[in-house]
Each structure stands twice: as structure tokens, then as C-alpha cells.
């Protein structure tokens, strides 16, 4: 390679003296940022430098972003080359590929490559990019474990895919999902494991992340969220991935796409100031004025970047600096798009917001669209779009320009095309829909059908539209749209029906509509409910979240992952919060029975943890008041050791089964009321219900256990058992209604299980049995439980099925197994 | 990306208290300080906020509430408190003490010295 200046004579020294030698620019890294800088520089000062480029990869400069389409088979490598070797020649640039630079001597101003070549510079540019971060779990260095960074990685993936088999992709961010999609398209069986609860959580909010997950699952990709890798197993090469929960996923190839690390080793070894990357100032200059850096390898104002747009902005500034200009790079606003064909995802800016931000959320369940804008002081701060990203560019420019959007605020969520005369009128959005737009997903009714029915039959109310078209007649999630259609089509004739009471301010739907929709539309997570039922807030509120959590838990036993952050503190901490922030602890005493050893253990716990108050409750057990939250797991451990479990005194679930002494001792007792109470409590403990449930069994009609003001009370008589339901003490005392009289304990248990399940499935959250029985009527309950023995048995079976998942003592899980440890420990102690 | 919430004096003293990942999403953790407990909240989009762990109503521990959007609902009597400002949401009136937070690289620090004081409610030492 001729490293001499074209003008130099055979005697270089003399020539260097007569003709001014060009300054020498050496670029380390033949990637996107480095070459963009060179392109910009050539445009500004074409003859200024004698340029030498070192590239570690044996390739000309290519568009790294497009590796995903290459993997998916949508593009060939030739189509993604940015600058061919001819381009370097035409611009008199010396390109040395397959030749990484190994060291920089800043004093001598030379670089040395792996092949031992030494090249001098006047100015040096480091553009070494970044490297995939490989989680250092056991097995991470086995053959078959690869990153997703360069063409060699793509080739390795394509080679694996050619053999079929299974791929595990670790990391559900942009890169991981593009790799997963490509491997899936190439016929592999793909599982994505992602540490966080939702995909691409850095770019997308949970709602959009959930929609994305559904779409990928629809394409046959298995997605495991909240999954942490423990180890990569295998002898010669990777064979399986083991998760921390013990799950083993067989794998022929493992792609690690959990993040990138700026590639700053060369800069660091050369003694340049480094943080997370090579530190540069606003002119992209490092701590050595002769050395510049650009791209993913730099840290600028404390920030590192991993997308091309900011790198290109840096390249422009840097080219200017190399040409002695004075522009400054001050940071970027970025946007992200996922390059998976057919999946439209866009996000930009900062949707974590800050003081005084407002949100606008739009959901169109029928079209699978979700949009969320974050505003502050009449400016757009961030945007997340799923399903309809056509306005992404518009939002991004509003955001970058810091434009005042007060004029568009009310309608901007509908997109740029929306506005003008109709601005501010949501009916206009409906009017603008094509006739073929599906309005009611449950019944497959499109707009044209509804409009035709309204005009031809002269319909004026929602009920009439429901009767004639079935639109909005099932889950009701399209009710708002149908009402708007009525308003637009029937005009003044439209009469809004009596408003149903919405669950809370986040939705227009009532409890009953939401519950029905969860089952009818097969909604299995909270974000799915938010999307399908068009919630107006991103993550609900303190009133709807606990209700939805219960409805989902009840609908999908054993499947739905209980969301503790949606539970009131008592249920989250498994103890009752007191006015001073301490907690009370109530161990279960089955049927009100206790023993010397239990009492002794309670006494020991009281001494050991200096518990200030011990009280016998109205529910026949003992309450320990004033326990510090940090002490709870240790208190529970001691109680567990004596055989006691949580009494759920805090739960919307079974509280107590109160009993009297009954036939065992009492001279009036007709049956073993204490024993039956214990059996009932053993069957029903641990259940979650719309509100708390209390049972009781009295041994005779003298009713010492106050069974006739319980949710379900049993009064024993000579000939069997009377079952009373729907009573409570409390604010409005209500005595029970007599439901039935049965002959055996087995029947008592079956009726009780069935009653519990009917209440669980039908009552609204926070509705106790008394108001529920009054609302639906005793006849309805008799119909379901007494007159329909098959139905009763089925209810009882469903109750037992759901109990099979809920009868784990929550105290033991926390005391011995360390569940939710964060709940009971301080984040930090300072000062 | 880094999250710096408001413009603060350069000489602010930042105390590091842990990582964003240590706080459950839509949850809170407590930092015990010499001047009382501070609650650190994490929202669905990973923003972190710090408030004195005392409700302006009757000193309820806000860290034990349900976090939704950018708000927390007090566990004792359901006042709703804005996390970014500590203000009680109308019709309730009062403000919880609010502490500046900085998140860098997933690490949280707080400027305890720059706490905006609480307003309204009980200021007695009912519980700390
Ligand atoms: C401890 C206890 C009082 C006592 O010292 O005896 C008690 C204490 C509380 N009751 Fe009760 N109730 C207790 C028996 C009762 C009874 C009597 C009974 O169960 O036989 C009733 C009337 C019967 C009934 O429920 O129908 C009762 C009706 C209420 C009510 C009103 C319920 C209603 O439907 O109107 C509430 C408020 C609520 O739940 O929303 C309530 C709420 C509470 C709460 C949970 C208040 C709260 O939310 O913080 C108290 C918490 C105590 C704690 O921290 O442990 N407590 N409460 C009793 C615990 C029983 C147990 O062993 O689990
Ligand atoms: C699969 C994939 C998809 C992507 N999709 C997008 C997207 O959709 N949108 C987006 O904005 N960004 C995307 N990116 C990120 C984007 O590609 C990078 O931000 C960009 O390429 C970084 O440019 P760079 O020049 O800093 O680093 P690189 O492009 O990595 O270039 C650095 C070069 O330096 C070489 N090098 C390193 N050390 C040495 C050495 N000592 N000597 C010589 N050479 C060396 C490396 O081999 C490499 O060729 C994607 C990245 C990947 C991998
Ligand atoms: S009666 Fe009132 S004060 Fe007494 S324990 Fe029940 S809720 Fe608390
Ligand atoms: S103490 Fe917070 S609402 Fe009462």
C-alpha cells in the first residue's frame, strides 16, 4: 500500500519542505458513524486530509441497521452496502479492512494495527462502535451463543436456521425482537426471554408492549416475560437455556441481545478520558485535542447513544470541526421504529415526563390501535404509537421543534389530517371512518350496516341499534362508538339512554360490562383489558386496578399472574395496616379452636418482637397489633413453626368461620357445629372474593355463633342443617335469608362451595353478599343453587378448582421462601 | 436514557439510594433518613419520584399506597397525591414533602437538602 503523498518526490524530506504536506486523518472503525463523518468532511473540505480508514470487519462500509432485513431474507448483503471499495478509491481514501487497530501512541501520533502496520496521524478519529453485551452467566462463552451486531452474526444465525431447530433469544428489545422475527421467518422455533414484564420497555409503555407481544405470539414466537437467565447449558456447544425459576429451554442457537457496550478499549488504553464511553466535548473532541471520537463508542454530556440519528448529527458537527468550523453538538431527541414487517410500532421522546405532564390516550380496540401522547406546558414531550404509526413523523417533528400545540391539543391524537372545521369534535372521527370499518368486534358489525339500520328503520336509541344490528350487544366495548354513530346519523333524534355507572373515571363501562367482556373477549391480562375496553388512562387507578385484578383472577384460575401492585396494601403485605403505619397480625384459628402450643407460640412472638397489644377479636381469634413491617416475615416464620397460617384478616376473601361448641359439649347441641366449622374453613380458606366473606355454624337455633348475620350461616337442627345467606353486621345490619335445608355435612359443603363460587363470579368488586343478594334477588340464587343440582355441582367443582391454586399460605411463602422480599425491607438507610 | 427532572443548583448534594430495578413497577420502597422516611415511587414508564412518606391528611405512609399514572392513593383514607409535586389532588388540599430525584444509568440519587416542604395536614410527631 502506497502511503506516500502523491506530490512527494523520491526524497520525501525535501518535498515535505517545499510543498505543504496534507494533514493525515486516520479513522479507526469503518462503520456507520465513522464513514458518515468522512462523507460530510469530503463535502466540506474535499482536499484537506489524506485519509486512512481501518476496519476490523473484512467488508466495505454497510448499513448495519439493515442486517435485520438481511436476516429475514428481505434484502441481500449487496443491497445494504453503503460505500463500495470503488468509492474509497475514487476519493483517494486508503481502506484497510480486516485489520483492527490494536494500539494508539499519542506521543508519537501513530496507530498500530494487528498486522503490525504503523501509520502516523495528525488527527485521529475513533469510531469503534459498540459490542453486544453478553450476560456473564455460566455457559455464555459456549459456541452457539452469539450476539447480533455484524454480518458474521447474521451468517451464524442463517447457518443455524438452515438446519431448523430451536432458537432462544435473550432480550426483548429492538434487536432481540428483530432477531427473533428473522429466525422465525427462517423456520426456527423461537422463544424470546425478557427480564422485564413487557417487551421493549425502554421504548414502549406497557400497553403497547402487550399489543406487540400478542402480535409476535400470533406469528408463532413464544414470549416469556419476567424471565431471568440462570445459565446456558451444554457440553461442546450451547444446548439449552436454564431460567432462574428452573425452566429449561432447549436451544440449537442462543442469541444474546440484552444491550450494547460502547467499544472504548482502544481509547482507554491510549489514556483518553472515558466514562461509559470515550468522553467527548460538544465538538466531538476527546481529552486529547488531536483525537476525536464519534458514534456509539462515545459518551457526550454523560449520555451514550445507540441509534443512528444522533450519530449522524454528531458526524455533521465533527466534520465541521475537522474543517475548522465551529458548530456544536448538544444532544439529540430520538425516535424508534421496530423493523418487523407488518408490525407498526413507533416511539419518540421522553414519555416518563416529569412535573406537570399531561397524557392523551387513544385506543381503538377494533383496529388494534393504541396511541399515547405526553404533553407539558403545551409542548409534546413524548409519543408511543402502536398499530397506526402514520403520524409518527408529524409528532416527532412537533416534539423536536418544541412546537406550541395548544391549538391542536384536543384533536392531535387523531393525527395530522384531523382538524379544520371539525376540530375538537370526536364525532367527526367516527364520521370519517369508511363504511367497511368494523365497529363491533364481538358480532362483526361494520359501520355501513349500523348506519343503514339507523336510517332505514329510523332508530333513535342505543337499545334499538342493539336489537336490530347486535352491535354493542355483547361485551359493549364499542358502545361509545355506536353512540357517536347514532349522534352523527340520527342527529337530534338520538336519545342517550340512561347512563350506566362506570367502574371509575378511567372507563365508561360498568363493572358488569367489564366482567362479561373479560370472559367473552378472552382478555387475560390487565393491559389487554385496558386496550380492548378503551381505558382512558395508561395504567388505571387505585379503584379499577384492584377490581380488574380480582376479575381476572376469578376468570382465569391458575393462569392469571396476580398483580400485587394492583392490590390494596393489606393484601399486598398480608397484614392490616394501622393508623401509625404498623401492621396487625391475625393467625388462623380453625373454627375458633386453639391449643396450648399455639397460645404459647403467640406469647413467645409477642415477647420476642415487643408487640404492644394483643386482643381477642370478634371473629374468635387473636390479633397482634403494632408489628413493624420489617418484622412481619420473622413473626410469621415463628407462627408458621408452631403450625399456624395466615388468618386473612386483611383479605377480600374468607375471613373467619365462627362456631359454637355444639353437640360435643353443649347440652342443647344437635350437631357437631365446631367440627363442621373447621371443615368449612378448611375448604374455603385462601379464596379471593369480591368482598370479605364470613361464615358461621351454630349448633342449635339459639344461634350463639350469630350465624344468621353472616355471609353464609349454618344453623344445625335435629333433622339436619339450615343454610342462611346474605347477612352481615356492619354499617347496615342485615339478617340472612333462608336458602335451603339439607340433611348431611357433605351437602353443606357442596352448597357452601357453590354459593361462594356464584358470589365470586357474579358480584361486583367490593359488593358484599348482603347487597348482592338484594340486588339479584333470593330467587335467582335459589334457582342457581337449589333448583339446579347440576349447576350447583358445577359451581362447587369450579370453586374447588380455583382453590387448588390459592391454598398456599402467603405467610410461609414470604417467611420461608422469600417471596416479595422488597416489600418488607428498606431500599436504603441514609444519614 | 437519563432522567433529570428539574433544573437544580449545581452544588446540590446527591445521595445515592439504590437502583430503579429495586423498586417494583407501579410500586414504592422506603429510604430511612435522619429526618424521617422517604418513599421512592416507580411508575409504569420507569420514572422515579420521591416524597416524604407522610400523607398531608393524617400522616398515612404513602409508600404503602397504590401507584397509578403519576399518582399514589394513600392507604389510610384514599387521598390521591401527585408524585411529581406532592400536591393532594382536588378536592383535598395539602402537599406532601417532595424531594428531587436523579436517575442515571438506572441508579437513583436524591437531593435530601432540597426537599420542598409539606403543607397542610398534621405536622405533629404522630409517627415517623
Ligand atoms: C379485629 C376486629 C375487631 C375486634 O377487635 O374484634 C375488626 C377490625 C377491623 N374491622 Fe371489623 N373487625 C372484626 C370483626 C368484625 C365483625 C364481627 C364478626 O366478624 O363477627 C363485623 C360485623 C360483621 C360483618 O362483617 O358483617 C365487622 C365489621 C366490619 C366492617 C363493616 C362491614 C360491612 O359490610 O358493613 C368493616 C369495614 C369494611 O370491611 O369495609 C370492618 C373493618 C375492619 C378493619 C379491617 C378496618 C380497616 O379496614 O382497617 C379493622 C382492622 C383490624 C385489624 O387491623 O386487624 N369491620 N368486623 C374483628 C376481627 C375479626 C377477625 O378475627 O378477623
Ligand atoms: C441488527 C441491528 C439493527 C439496528 N437497527 C437500528 C434501527 O432500526 N435504527 C437505528 O437508528 N439504529 C439501529 N441500529 C443501531 C445502529 O446500527 C448503530 O447505532 C450504528 O451502526 C452505530 O454506528 P457506529 O459507527 O458507532 O458503530 P458501527 O456501525 O458498529 O461501526 C463501528 C465499526 O468499527 C469497527 N471497529 C471496532 N474496533 C475497531 C478497531 N480497533 N479497529 C478497526 N475497526 C474497529 C467495527 O468492526 C465496526 O465495523 C441497529 C443495529 C443493529 C446491529
Ligand atoms: S368498629 Fe370501627 S374502630 Fe372498631 S375495629 Fe371496627 S372499624 Fe375499627
Ligand atoms: S392519612 Fe392519607 S388519606 Fe388520610
Amino acid at each position: 500500500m502506497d502511503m506516500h503523498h502523491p506530490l512527494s518526490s523520491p526524497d520525501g524530506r525535501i518535498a515535505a519542505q517545499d510543498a505543504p504536506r496534507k494533514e493525515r486523518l486516520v479513522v479507526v472503525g469503518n462503520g456507520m458513524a465513522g464513514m458518515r463523518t468522512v462523507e460530510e468532511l469530503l463535502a466540506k473540505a474535499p482536499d484537506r486530509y489524506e485519509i486512512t480508514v481501518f476496519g476490523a470487519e473484512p467488508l466495505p462500509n454497510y448499513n448495519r441497521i439493515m442486517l435485520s432485513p438481511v436476516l429475514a431474507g428481505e434484502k441481500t448483503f449487496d443491497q445494504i452496502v453503503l460505500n463500495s471499495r470503488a468509492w474509497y478509491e475514487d476519493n483517494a481514501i486508503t481502506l484497510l479492512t480486516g485489520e483492527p487497530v490494536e494500539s494508539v501512541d499519542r506521543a508519537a501520533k501513530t496507530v498500530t494495527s494487528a498486522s503490525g502496520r504503523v501509520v502516523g496521524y495528525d488527527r485521529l478519529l475513533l469510531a469503534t462502535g459498540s459490542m453486544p453485551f453478553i450476560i456473564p452467566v455460566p455457559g455464555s462463552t459456549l459456541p452457539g451463543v452469539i450476539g447480533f451486531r455484524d454480518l458474521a452474526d447474521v451468517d451464524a444465525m442463517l447457518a443455524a436456521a438452515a438446519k431448523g431447530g430451536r432458537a432462544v433469544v435473550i432480550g426483548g428489545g429492538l434487536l432481540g425482537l428483530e432477531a427473533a422475527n428473522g429466525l422465525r421467518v427462517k423456520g426456527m422455533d423461537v422463544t424470546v426471554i425478557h427480564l422485564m414484564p413487557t417487551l421493549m420497555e425502554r421504548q414502549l409503555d406497557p400497553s403497547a408492549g402487550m399489543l406487540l407481544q400478542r402480535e409476535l405470539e400470533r406469528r408463532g414466537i413464544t414470549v416469556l416475560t419476567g424471565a431471568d437467565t440462570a445459565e446456558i447449558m451444554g457440553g461442546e456447544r450451547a444446548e439449552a437455556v436454564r431460567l432462574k425459576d428452573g425452566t429449561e429451554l432447549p436451544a440449537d442457537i442462543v442469541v444474546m441481545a440484552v444491550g450494547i457496550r460502547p467499544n472504548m478499549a482502544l481509547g482507554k488504553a491510549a489514556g483518553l478520558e472515558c466514562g461509559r464511553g470515550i468522553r467527548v466535548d460538544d465538538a466531538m473532541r476527546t481529552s486529547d485535542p488531536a483525537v476525536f471520537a464519534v458514534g456509539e463508542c462515545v459518551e457526550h454530556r454523560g449520555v451514550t447513544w445507540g441509534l443512528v440519528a444522533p450519530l449522524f448529527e454528531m458526524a455533521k458537527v465533527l466534520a465541521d470541526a475537522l474543517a475548522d468550523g465551529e458548530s456544536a453538538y448538544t444532544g439529540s431527541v430520538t425516535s424508534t421504529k421496530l423493523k418487523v414487517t407488518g408490525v407498526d410500532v413507533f416511539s419518540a421522546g421522553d414519555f416518563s415526563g416529569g412535573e406537570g405532564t399531561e397524557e392523551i390516550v387513544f385506543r381503538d380496540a377494533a383496529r388494534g390501535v393504541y396511541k399515547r401522547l405526553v404533553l407539558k406546558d403545551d409542548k409534546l414531550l413524548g409519543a408511543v404509537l402502536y398499530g397506526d404509526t402514520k403520524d409518527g413523523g408529524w409528532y416527532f417533528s412537533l416534539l423536536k421543534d418544541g412546537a406550541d400545540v395548544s391549538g391542536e391539543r384536543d384533536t392531535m391524537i387523531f393525527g395530522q389530517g384531523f382538524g379544520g372545521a371539525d376540530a375538537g369534535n370526536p364525532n367527526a372521527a367516527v364520521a370519517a371512518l369508511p363504511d367497511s370499518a368494523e365497529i363491533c368486534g364481538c358480532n362483526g358489525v361494520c359501520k355501513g350496516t349500523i348506519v343503514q339500520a339507523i336510517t332505514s328503520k329510523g332508530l333513535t336509541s342505543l337499545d334499538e341499534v342493539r336489537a336490530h344490528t347486535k352491535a354493542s350487544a355483547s361485551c359493549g366495548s364499542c358502545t361509545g362508538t355506536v353512540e357517536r354513530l347514532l349522534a352523527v346519523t340520527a342527529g337530534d333524534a338520538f336519545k342517550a339512554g340512561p347512563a350506566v355507572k362506570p367502574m371509575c373515571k378511567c372507563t365508561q363501562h360498568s363493572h358488569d360490562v367489564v366482567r362479561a367482556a373479560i370472559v367473552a373477549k378472552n382478555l387475560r391480562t390487565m393491559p389487554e383489558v385496558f386496550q380492548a375496553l378503551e381505558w382512558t388512562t395508561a395504567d388505571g387507578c387505585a379503584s379499577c386496578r384492584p377490581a380488574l385484578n380480582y376479575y381476572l383472577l376469578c376468570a382465569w384460575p391458575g393462569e392469571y399472574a396476580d398483580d400485587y401492585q394492583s392490590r390494596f396494601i393489606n393484601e399486598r403485605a398480608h397484614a392490616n395496616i394501622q393508623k401509625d403505619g404498623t401492621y396487625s397480625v391475625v393467625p388462623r384459628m380453625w373454627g375458633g379452636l386453639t391449643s396450648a402450643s399455639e397460645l404459647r407460640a403467640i406469647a413467645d412472638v409477642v415477647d420476642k418482637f415487643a408487640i404492644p397489644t394483643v386482643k381477642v377479636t370478634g371473629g374468635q381469634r387473636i390479633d397482634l397489633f403494632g408489628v413493624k413491617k420489617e418484622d412481619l416475615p420473622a413473626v410469621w416464620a415463628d407462627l408458621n413453626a408452631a403450625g399456624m397460617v395466615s388468618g386473612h384478616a386483611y383479605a377480600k376473601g374468607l375471613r373467619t368461620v365462627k362456631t359454637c361448641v355444639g353437640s360435643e359439649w353443649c347440652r342443647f347441641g344437635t350437631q357437631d357445629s365446631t367440627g363442621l366449622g373447621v371443615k368449612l374453613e378448611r375448604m374455603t380458606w385462601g379464596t379471593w372474593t369480591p368482598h370479605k366473606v364470613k361464615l358461621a355454624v351454630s349448633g342449635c337455633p339459639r344461634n350463639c355463633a350469630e350465624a344468621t348475620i353472616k355471609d353464609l350461616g349454618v344453623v344445625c337442627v335435629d333433622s339436619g342443617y339450615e343454610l342462611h345467606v346474605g347477612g352481615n353486621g356492619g354499617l347496615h345490619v342485615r339478617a340472612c335469608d333462608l336458602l335451603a335445608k339439607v340433611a348431611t355435612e357433605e351437602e353443606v359443603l357442596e352448597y357452601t362451595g357453590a354459593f361462594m363460587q356464584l358470589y365470586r363470579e357474579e358480584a361486583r368488586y367490593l359488593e358484599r353478599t348482603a347487597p348482592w343478594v338484594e340486588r339479584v334477588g333470593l330467587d335467582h340464587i335459589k334457582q342457581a343453587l337449589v333448583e339446579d343440582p347440576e349447576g350447583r355441582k358445577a359451581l362447587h367443582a369450579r370453586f374447588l378448582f380455583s382453590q387448588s391454586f390459592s391454598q398456599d399460605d402467603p405467610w410461609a411463602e414470604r417467611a420461608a421462601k422469600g417471596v416479595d422480599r422488597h416489600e418488607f425491607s428498606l431500599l436504603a438507610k441514609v444519614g | 436514557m437519563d432522567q433529570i427532572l428539574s433544573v437544580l443548583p449545581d452544588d446540590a448534594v446527591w445521595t445515592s439510594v439504590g437502583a430503579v430495578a429495586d423498586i417494583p413497577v407501579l410500586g414504592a420502597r422506603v429510604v430511612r433518613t435522619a429526618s424521617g422516611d422517604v418513599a421512592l415511587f416507580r411508575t409504569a414508564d420507569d420514572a422515579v419520584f420521591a416524597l416524604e412518606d407522610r400523607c398531608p391528611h393524617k400522616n398515612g405512609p404513602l409508600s404503602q399506597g397504590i401507584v397509578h399514572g403519576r399518582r399514589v392513593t394513600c392507604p389510610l383514607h384514599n387521598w390521591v397525591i401527585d408524585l411529581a409535586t406532592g400536591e393532594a389532588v382536588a378536592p383535598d388540599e395539602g402537599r406532601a414533602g417532595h424531594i428531587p430525584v436523579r436517575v442515571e444509568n438506572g441508579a437513583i440519587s436524591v437531593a435530601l437538602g432540597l426537599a420542598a416542604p409539606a403543607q397542610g395536614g398534621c405536622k405533629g410527631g404522630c409517627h415517623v
Side-chain angles (χ1 to χ4, degrees):
Chain A
M1 194 71 39
D2 179 10
M3 294 305 298
H4 292 281
H5 191 275
L7 291 180
S8 59
S9 70
D11 184 348
R13 273 176 305 143
I14 296 164
Q17 276 164 7
D18 341 295
R21 182 178 60 83
K22 273 200 201 178
E23 285 175 273
R24 294 160 304 169
L25 173 66
V26 170
V27 182
V28 182
N30 185 30
M32 300 194 69
M35 284 313 100
R36 175 56 72 93
T37 308
V38 171
E39 288 171 21
E40 296 272 359
L41 178 63
L42 291 174
K44 277 196 169 69
D47 293 321
R48 168 86 184 254
Y49 293 95
E50 181 190 309
I51 303 173
T52 304
V53 176
F54 283 90
E57 291 178 79
L59 298 164
N61 169 234
Y62 62 90
N63 187 347
R64 193 171 304 285
I65 295 182
M66 288 296 146
L67 287 177
S68 302
V70 170
L71 175 64
E74 293 162 3
K75 280 206 158 42
T76 64
F77 179 73
D78 289 343
Q79 290 173 312
I80 72 165
V81 169
L82 290 171
N83 295 306
S84 66
R85 290 182 190 272
W87 176 85
Y88 291 84
E89 275 169 35
D90 292 348
N91 288 291
I93 298 169
T94 306
L95 173 64
L96 304 168
T97 55
E99 198 169 329
V101 168
E102 286 196 335
S103 63
V104 176
D105 182 338
R106 291 199 287 127
K109 290 203 171 175
T110 58
V111 301
T112 305
S113 75
S115 69
R117 191 194 307 264
V118 179
V119 176
Y121 65 81
D122 297 298
R123 286 178 162 185
L124 175 65
L125 172 54
L126 300 179
T128 47
S130 54
M131 293 182 303
F133 176 57
I134 302 290
I135 323 172
V137 289
S140 61
T141 54
L142 286 173
V145 180
I146 55 173
F148 187 14
R149 182 70 194 175
D150 54 28
L151 189 68
D153 296 328
V154 173
D155 286 342
M157 284 190 244
L158 289 175
K163 295 190 222 130
R166 284 178 266 224
V168 170
V169 177
I170 305 179
L174 188 99
L175 281 189
L177 298 182
E178 290 184 4
N181 180 62
L183 292 168
R184 176 75 196 129
V185 169
K186 290 287 171 186
M188 289 192 92
D189 208 336
V190 182
T191 303
V192 175
I193 60 187
H194 190 52
L195 185 60
M196 304 305 287
T198 57
L199 295 175
M200 284 181 71
E201 77 289 343
R202 287 162 63 93
Q203 291 87 14
L204 302 180
D205 60 12
S207 297
M210 177 278 297
L211 289 170
L212 177 59
Q213 178 171 346
R214 283 290 161 277
E215 174 57 27
L216 295 174
E217 286 170 346
R218 206 188 53 72
R219 292 169 177 229
I221 296 172
T222 306
V223 179
L224 303 178
T225 54
D228 200 356
T229 308
E231 125 173 63
I232 296 170
M233 302 159 51
E236 300 279 280
R237 51 179 292 122
E239 284 161 16
V241 174
R242 192 171 56 78
L243 304 181
K244 292 222 169 117
D245 70 4
T247 312
E248 282 178 21
L249 304 163
D252 300 299
I253 184 172
V254 177
V255 181
M256 282 245 196
V258 292
I260 53 173
R261 281 270 165 95
N263 192 359
M264 60 178 171
L266 193 61
K268 211 169 191 168
L272 298 173
E273 205 179 289
C274 292
R276 278 188 283 150
I278 304 170
R279 287 219 172 102
V280 293
D281 64 11
D282 287 357
M284 310 309 296
R285 202 183 299 260
T286 67
S287 54
D288 176 342
V291 183
F292 295 77
V294 70
E296 285 185 347
C297 62
V298 308
E299 178 191 302
H300 170 263
R301 296 195 181 185
V303 180
T304 60
W305 298 92
L307 292 170
V308 293
L311 312 185
F312 290 171
E313 292 175 40
M314 289 177 195
K316 221 183 181 97
V317 170
L318 171 56
D320 202 36
L322 289 171
D324 295 333
E326 286 196 351
S327 50
Y329 174 72
T330 55
S332 303
V333 185
T334 55
S335 68
T336 314
K337 269 192 144 185
L338 183 70
K339 299 186 303 299
V340 171
T341 306
V343 182
D344 294 324
V345 182
F346 173 91
S347 87
D350 180 4
F351 37 92
S352 61
E355 266 175 51
T357 57
E358 298 173 80
E359 294 190 357
I360 308 177
V361 176
F362 172 89
R363 299 176 196 264
D364 182 336
R367 290 193 300 138
V369 173
Y370 168 78
K371 307 188 202 180
R372 175 160 160 254
L373 302 178
V374 177
L375 295 123
K376 185 182 177 186
D377 299 335
D378 290 331
K379 293 201 174 95
L380 190 59
L381 267 194
V384 184
L385 309 178
Y386 186 93
D388 174 359
T389 53
K390 67 177 182 310
D391 291 301
W394 181 55
Y395 294 133
F396 189 51
S397 65
L398 290 176
L399 194 146
K400 270 181 43 172
D401 299 348
D404 183 328
V405 296
S406 48
E408 287 104 329
R409 197 201 169 289
D410 294 344
T411 56
M412 64 190 292
I413 194 85
F414 300 114
Q416 186 175 19
F418 195 85
D422 290 328
N425 176 5
N427 286 349
V430 174
L433 290 174
D435 275 353
S436 59
E438 188 179 77
I439 303 291
C440 173
C442 294
N443 297 293
V445 190
C446 60
K447 178 184 163 186
T449 313
I450 300 173
V451 170
Q452 215 247 328
I454 294 172
T455 43
S456 68
K457 303 203 171 74
L459 309 182
T460 56
S461 74
L462 184 63
D463 279 344
E464 287 172 348
V465 175
R466 281 185 182 147
H468 283 95
T469 69
K470 286 268 180 297
S472 153
S474 295
C475 83
S477 69
C478 59
T479 303
T481 317
V482 173
E483 283 183 332
R484 269 174 243 134
L485 264 182
L486 259 168
V488 170
T489 315
D492 293 343
F494 164 56
K495 298 185 268 309
V500 277
K501 194 164 170 276
M503 264 179 81
C504 66
K505 285 184 189 143
C506 305
T507 176
Q508 68 201 29
H509 302 303
S510 64
H511 280 271
D512 295 343
V513 166
V514 172
R515 276 208 95 159
I518 286 173
V519 177
K521 301 193 132 201
N522 195 21
L523 307 176
R524 288 174 184 260
T525 66
M526 220 175 291
E528 281 182 31
V529 174
F530 292 160
Q531 177 65 19
L533 303 184
E534 301 182 343
W535 241 243
T536 57
T537 48
D539 47 35
C541 71
S543 149
C544 59
R545 283 231 310 276
L548 291 177
N549 191 53
Y550 169 70
Y551 292 153
L552 288 161
L553 202 65
C554 177
W556 315 117
E559 264 179 60
Y560 174 71
D562 201 336
D563 176 20
Y564 271 78
Q565 296 316 134
S566 294
R567 285 187 174 273
F568 181 65
I569 183 60
N570 287 0
E571 293 185 347
R572 196 173 348 126
H574 291 278
N576 297 56
I577 196 166
Q578 304 296 312
K579 59 193 257 185
D580 65 353
T582 63
Y583 287 79
S584 74
V585 169
V586 185
R588 207 166 271 292
M589 287 180 173
W590 305 94
L593 290 171
T594 185
S595 66
S597 64
E598 285 185 357
L599 293 172
R600 205 169 281 123
I602 289 175
D604 288 344
V605 154
V606 169
D607 284 344
K608 180 165 163 190
F609 295 94
I611 293 171
T613 301
V614 182
K615 182 181 181 302
V616 175
T617 73
Q620 296 187 338
R621 46 213 195 151
I622 292 177
D623 202 342
L624 312 177
F625 288 96
V627 182
K628 290 193 218 55
K629 195 177 184 191
E630 298 94 284
D631 287 343
L632 285 171
V635 167
W636 296 336
D638 286 3
L639 295 172
N640 280 160
M644 283 177 274
V645 296
S646 168
H648 292 89
Y650 47 81
K652 306 286 176 251
L654 180 87
R655 296 282 177 91
T656 61
V657 180
K658 193 164 174 169
T659 67
C660 70
V661 282
S663 57
E664 206 188 7
W665 297 97
C666 177
R667 61 198 170 111
F668 296 118
T670 62
Q671 311 280 355
D672 177 12
S673 52
T674 318
L676 178 56
V678 172
K679 284 181 192 147
L680 283 171
E681 193 162 355
R682 292 272 178 203
M683 178 179 79
T684 52
W685 76 277
T687 182
W688 297 108
T689 45
H691 203 307
K692 62 188 173 189
V693 171
K694 298 173 178 182
L695 311 182
V697 189
S698 286
C700 81
R702 287 168 195 78
N703 196 8
C704 296
E706 299 163 326
T708 48
I709 55 156
K710 293 290 178 270
D711 295 281
L712 184 145
V714 183
V715 176
C716 302
V717 289
D718 277 332
S719 55
Y721 307 85
E722 287 173 10
L723 302 178
H724 301 259
V725 296
N728 69 195
L731 269 66
H732 306 285
V733 182
R734 181 178 194 274
C736 291
D737 294 312
L738 179 64
L739 177 72
K741 203 184 135 201
V742 298
T744 64
E745 283 194 343
E746 285 66 42
E747 287 169 286
V748 175
L749 290 168
E750 182 178 303
Y751 270 82
T752 304
F755 176 77
M756 294 285 285
Q757 188 64 12
L758 191 67
Y759 171 57
R760 296 181 78 230
E761 290 176 7
E762 291 191 352
R764 297 170 187 159
Y765 193 65
L766 295 188
E767 183 177 47
R768 270 194 86 174
T769 59
W772 170 62
V773 168
E774 289 197 344
R775 178 165 66 82
V776 301
L778 184 66
D779 284 348
H780 169 73
I781 291 171
K782 280 191 167 159
Q783 174 80 48
L785 300 182
V786 186
E787 282 147 40
D788 178 6
E790 288 312 309
R792 179 179 70 236
K793 284 186 176 28
L795 280 164
H796 181 56
R798 286 209 290 287
F799 181 70
L800 295 184
F801 177 68
S802 89
Q803 284 295 83
S804 70
F805 302 104
S806 64
Q807 290 195 322
D808 286 319
D809 176 30
W811 288 357
E813 289 181 333
R814 280 151 190 80
K817 296 190 211 144
V819 170
D820 280 351
R821 195 168 279 136
H822 63 81
E823 186 68 60
F824 307 99
S825 63
L826 294 173
L827 178 62
K829 209 167 174 170
V830 299
Chain B
M1 211 173 299
D2 297 344
Q3 171 208 349
I4 297 180
L5 286 176
S6 45
V7 183
L8 293 163
D10 289 342
D11 57 354
V13 178
W14 293 95
T15 310
S16 99
V17 292
V20 178
D22 297 335
I23 309 175
V25 176
L26 293 175
R29 296 285 300 274
V30 174
V31 171
R32 189 145 294 160
T33 79
S35 50
D37 283 359
V38 170
L40 276 115
F41 302 90
R42 174 175 175 188
T43 65
D45 41 23
D46 284 346
V48 177
F49 299 94
L51 298 177
E52 285 173 3
D53 199 10
R54 286 193 299 264
C55 176
H57 177 220
K58 290 189 175 174
N59 287 339
L62 296 172
S63 57
Q64 312 294 297
I66 290 181
V67 178
H68 45 100
R70 226 159 264 293
R71 294 169 168 182
V72 62
T73 296
C74 176
L76 293 197
H77 319 98
N78 292 331
W79 277 31
V80 178
I81 309 295
D82 187 292
L83 295 177
T85 60
E87 298 282 348
V89 171
D92 297 318
E93 282 176 29
R95 188 174 73 201
H98 170 236
I99 294 121
V101 177
R102 192 166 73 178
V103 176
E104 278 174 322
N105 241 343
I108 311 170
S109 29
V110 292
L112 294 169
L114 295 176
Q119 251 173 34
C122 163
K123 293 198 188 59
C126 312
H127 88 274
V128 176

